Amino acid sequence: METRWLEDFLVLAETASFTRSAQARHLTQPAFSRRIRALEGWIGTELIDRTSYPTRLTPAGEVFREHAAAMLNQIHATRALLQGMRPLPEDTLEFAVPHTLSFSFFPKWLSRVEQGFGQLSCRLQASNVHDALLAFVEGGSDLLMCYHHPKQPVELEDGRYLGLRLGVERLRPYARADRQRQPRFVLPGSAAAPVPFLGYAASAYFRLMTEQILADAPEPCHLHLRYETDMAEGLKNMVLEGHGVAFLPQSAVAREVRYGQLAPAADERWGVDMELRLYRSKKRSRPVLEAFWQYLAAEYPAI
């Protein structure tokens, strides 16, 4: 048995879709299905009811779901122990957070929260959106902080999780500013003079949101792709060096815009608002988590 089979199964249990699960795991659907079959072969019973739509777990699958999450959590904990990491204190909260939020939003948000709640001991697991979500549903963290947009939603079962709306983040295009604080490149460009474009890798959540902005743009956009990465911070540094235009979250560039280093490369029509959300599992409970969530629930609206 391979641990990735457990990860595949937990993703399928969350999405109830072989197609979406295969996409999330960066596999073809036939390859994903073979891995689920391999897990069922190892278990010795069917875990997925393939006669229903959307996909459902069998009674055995429902039982195994809880055990699979615990197994993965124990494996990760054992690995951490063997790598010389001390167990976290009982009052430490673990957050799964996408890279961009860990740089731009989380530090200031935590400072504001601690002013009312008191000092927290926490561990931050920063990764891409998919891996942060996976760590959370597998039981590897107490809380998930993430983006949400109706056209690119975070797939979580409403009955198993509680959520809060922390605010709104806007994604829009930016370019290096000149001495007059004007952008050096402006969208939409033209066929004769396309705008140098700095984009996100295919696995990045912001890649999907950027494609959505361009699809809904007020006029056709002429771009020349020069660079790709999966991290907004990497794109921001490329923009600061004048290499082109990138779609960046406002919280990540607020300082640079304030000091005249970056400027919006298009008007407000070339942007999209995303909710910032925080989730917890109803089944995961510790005194510090309950106290923290009770405080936050009085400060932020529920989803």
Side-chain angles (χ1 to χ4, degrees):
M1 198 274 291
E2 301 181 25
T3 56
R4 62 181 180 173
W5 297 351
L6 299 179
E7 295 170 350
D8 294 339
F9 171 74
L10 289 171
V11 171
L12 180 57
E14 284 298 319
T15 65
S17 166
F18 275 88
T19 300
R20 292 204 305 271
S21 297
Q23 292 172 345
R25 299 291 287 161
H26 305 295
L27 295 168
T28 63
Q29 186 169 331
F32 182 84
S33 296
R34 285 196 296 270
R35 281 166 41 163
I36 295 296
R37 286 288 191 189
L39 176 63
E40 291 177 317
W42 183 81
I43 293 292
T45 188
E46 289 190 348
L47 303 174
I48 309 300
D49 181 357
R50 293 172 175 81
T51 65
S52 65
Y53 184 84
T55 301
R56 293 185 304 180
L57 301 181
T58 63
E62 291 288 356
V63 173
F64 185 66
R65 180 182 194 169
E66 299 301 327
H67 288 280
M71 290 165 65
L72 275 173
N73 197 31
Q74 183 62 43
I75 289 170
H76 295 320
T78 302
R79 182 179 63 180
L81 180 64
L82 294 176
Q83 290 175 343
M85 298 176 62
R86 292 180 300 175
L88 290 174
E90 179 62 26
D91 62 349
T92 299
L93 288 175
E94 292 196 72
F95 291 81
V97 183
H99 286 296
T100 300
L101 287 175
S102 71
F103 286 121
S104 60
F105 179 80
F106 185 85
K108 293 181 180 178
W109 173 80
L110 183 63
S111 295
R112 290 196 301 270
V113 169
E114 286 186 330
Q115 289 178 3
F117 180 77
Q119 190 171 21
L120 275 174
S121 175
C122 58
R123 169 179 286 176
L124 193 68
Q125 302 176 30
S127 59
N128 60 43
V129 173
H130 166 260
D131 289 345
L133 177 61
L134 191 61
F136 175 65
V137 300
E138 288 175 353
S141 67
D142 297 303
L143 299 156
L144 169 69
M145 183 179 288
C146 62
Y147 297 104
H148 172 86
H149 187 272
K151 293 185 178 180
Q152 295 295 338
V154 172
E155 300 286 354
L156 289 173
E157 289 186 13
D158 294 340
R160 299 186 65 216
Y161 302 98
L162 298 172
L164 300 172
R165 294 184 178 90
L166 304 184
V168 176
E169 176 83 280
R170 186 160 184 81
L171 188 73
R172 62 182 303 192
Y174 291 89
R176 182 173 175 176
D178 60 22
R179 293 183 178 180
Q180 287 73 44
R181 297 195 172 212
Q182 296 302 306
R184 294 191 175 187
F185 304 103
V186 179
L187 297 182
S190 66
V195 175
F197 182 57
L198 312 173
Y200 293 95
S203 60
Y205 182 80
F206 284 161
R207 167 73 168 262
L208 302 175
M209 298 311 305
T210 297
E211 290 175 349
Q212 189 65 53
I213 294 171
L214 294 174
D216 296 338
E219 54 187 302
C221 196
H222 302 275
L223 302 172
H224 168 58
L225 180 62
R226 291 198 57 200
Y227 179 77
E228 280 190 351
T229 183
D230 58 356
M231 292 184 63
E233 283 295 310
L235 289 185
K236 182 177 76 171
N237 289 329
M238 291 291 287
V239 174
L240 284 168
E241 292 298 323
H243 291 294
V245 170
F247 285 82
L248 300 167
Q250 284 185 321
S251 65
V253 298
R255 183 185 186 89
E256 289 78 8
V257 171
R258 185 166 63 249
Y259 287 106
Q261 297 172 290
L262 297 179
D267 61 38
E268 286 288 346
R269 296 175 299 169
W270 296 77
V272 67
D273 289 331
M274 304 169 293
E275 283 188 359
L276 298 177
R277 292 186 170 187
L278 189 71
Y279 289 97
R280 64 161 293 189
S281 169
K282 292 180 179 179
K283 293 186 177 181
R284 192 177 179 110
S285 179
R286 292 186 291 135
V288 63
L289 177 58
E290 297 300 332
F292 186 60
W293 191 262
Q294 184 177 1
Y295 170 80
L296 293 179
E299 298 291 321
Y300 297 100
I303 295 169

